[in-house]
Amino acid sequence: MADITRIGVVGAGQMGAGIAQLAAVNGVDVWLYDTVSEALINAQKSISNNIQRLLTKGQISQATSVDTVKRLHCSSRLEDLHSVDLVVEAIVESEQVKKSLFADLDKILKSSAILASNTSSISITRLASATSRPSQVIGMHFMNPPPIMKLVEIIRGADTSEDTYCATKCLAERFGKTVICSQDYSGFIVNRILMPMINEAFHTLYTGVATKEDIDTGMKLGTNHPMGPLELADFIGLDVCLSVMKVLQAGLGDDKYAPCPLLVQYVDAGRLGKKRGIGVYDYRDAAAKTGGPPRL
């Protein structure tokens, strides 16, 4: 399979914008697609600010900064991705929505193009079933935020070819990432371990074992985690955590993965975490004071 020189990224949220920035900085032409024009505008601003910050810190050269901006293309037309070598989708964590997108992309992309999903838990084999190219469908799970986190988790579906795997792995390594490979089981590696821990932290809070502060402090200082599980859940998004727990419960058929009622309640109330200003912690005061701590 030829080298990947052009990629598409579907979804201009935090993950999609981060993946697009990562690719452009590393010399890959990127088409960033979203149906919402405001999301594209915000992504461009965020990427531009991040590039300027990297330049100021001396982490990239002026030439790389200019080249990165030239390599980034934003579009609200899915058809503009027709010539890319690989597409990474970074949209809502819904199997049906992702399948619908892959079915549309399958009709638009050139026959050699790879379809990669940034899903954190959904079966790659089932996503591939919506296409006519299951051997070219793969999971490429970036950690958040993609430009900073060193890991990419690659997931092989039942029909993913060796060529597809090797091309995807080479691209991740070109981005400076360490690659781990998972078979196609619910939650893969990282979230199969991480999300039950977060869910148990919610149970610990729900049953009154300890305060949120003590739960997070206990895990940070007692197990050397850089961030407590409840704080991390806020950063990931409580809706994402809930979605992954539902996938684990359904896919593995074990009620030990049932989402904690408190997690469900917070999501029902719109307390989705840092992106909404409130989750387990309240970040609304901190947003008004740059660098200030969350209101506990």
Side-chain angles (χ1 to χ4, degrees), residues 4 32 39 52 62 74 108 145 164 173 195-196 205-206 211 230 279:
I4 293 170
L32 179 60
Q52 186 58 47
Q62 180 67 43
C74 293
I108 293 168
T164 297
E173 289 173 344
M195 287 302 169
L205 181 62
Y206 179 57
T211 65
L230 298 174

Side-chain angles (χ1 to χ4, degrees), residues 257-270:
Y257 298 108
C260 175
L262 183 62
L263 173 59
V264 175
Q265 184 184 68
Y266 278 12
V267 173
D268 286 346

Side-chain angles (χ1 to χ4, degrees), residues 4-296:
I4 293 170
T5 59
R6 293 175 291 185
I7 74 165
V9 178
V10 178
Q14 185 178 17
M15 287 300 294
I19 295 167
Q21 174 187 318
L22 183 64
V25 166
N26 284 282
V28 176
D29 291 321
V30 184
W31 277 259
L32 179 60
Y33 165 83
D34 203 293
T35 56
V36 181
S37 58
E38 185 179 358
L40 290 171
I41 292 169
N42 289 339
Q44 281 183 302
K45 287 179 180 176
S46 173
I47 293 170
S48 178
N49 289 340
N50 289 341
I51 295 304
Q52 186 58 47
R53 192 175 301 114
L54 292 172
L55 180 62
T56 301
K57 291 181 177 179
Q59 295 177 0
I60 60 172
S61 66
Q62 180 67 43
T64 299
S65 172
V66 172
D67 184 61
T68 298
V69 173
K70 288 180 179 178
R71 289 186 181 278
L72 180 64
H73 313 273
C74 293
S75 176
S76 56
R77 294 180 68 253
L78 199 61
E79 293 78 9
D80 288 342
L81 276 60
H82 68 94
S83 64
V84 302
D85 303 310
L86 176 146
V87 172
V88 184
E89 69 78 14
I91 60 173
V92 64
E93 193 71 354
S94 162
E95 181 174 330
Q96 291 309 313
V97 175
K98 290 180 189 293
K99 275 185 171 180
S100 178
L101 172 66
F102 271 21
D104 290 341
L105 286 169
D106 190 40
K107 299 182 183 105
I108 293 168
L109 300 179
K110 59 187 181 183
S111 62
S112 60
I114 294 171
L115 284 164
S117 175
N118 186 56
T119 179
S120 58
S121 61
I122 296 169
S123 168
I124 301 304
T125 302
R126 292 202 301 269
L127 294 182
S129 72
T131 78
S132 63
R133 60 181 87 193
S135 66
Q136 293 158 237
V137 178
I138 196 164
M140 191 178 192
H141 180 209
F142 290 84
M143 305 298 124
N144 190 17
I148 295 172
M149 300 296 282
K150 298 296 184 185
L151 186 72
V152 168
E153 186 177 39
I154 292 180
I155 305 94
R156 302 178 73 147
D159 296 315
T160 303
S161 71
E162 187 66 18
D163 281 350
T164 297
Y165 169 74
C166 289
T168 306
K169 182 174 183 286
C170 285
L171 182 65
E173 289 173 344
R174 179 176 173 182
F175 293 167
K177 303 303 183 185
T178 297
V179 172
I180 59 173
C181 182
S182 172
Q183 297 303 311
D184 192 18
Y185 293 99
S186 298
F188 316 134
I189 300 169
V190 174
N191 279 332
R192 175 78 175 265
I193 298 166
L194 174 64
M195 287 302 169
M197 182 190 74
I198 287 175
N199 197 51
E200 195 61 33
F202 270 95
H203 275 295
T204 306
L205 181 62
Y206 179 57
T207 55
V209 173
T211 65
K212 56 183 179 287
E213 298 88 352
D214 282 354
I215 293 166
D216 278 346
T217 299
M219 294 305 291
K220 284 189 286 187
L221 301 185
T223 62
N224 206 29
H225 289 193
M227 187 181 291
L230 298 174
E231 184 184 3
L232 178 58
D234 273 353
F235 187 76
I236 294 169
L238 302 193
D239 52 333
V240 175
C241 295
L242 177 59
S243 175
V244 174
M245 289 307 301
K246 288 179 177 178
V247 168
L248 288 174
Q249 184 182 21
L252 300 173
D254 194 326
D255 284 342
K256 75 179 182 180
Y257 298 108
C260 175
L262 183 62
L263 173 59
V264 175
Q265 184 184 68
Y266 278 12
V267 173
D268 286 346
R271 295 178 61 157
L272 305 185
K274 201 166 184 180
K275 61 188 174 185
R276 283 286 182 88
I278 186 170
V280 179
Y281 295 95
D282 192 333
Y283 301 87
R284 291 170 294 191
D285 280 354
K289 302 174 183 176
T290 304
R295 187 172 70 211
L296 303 178

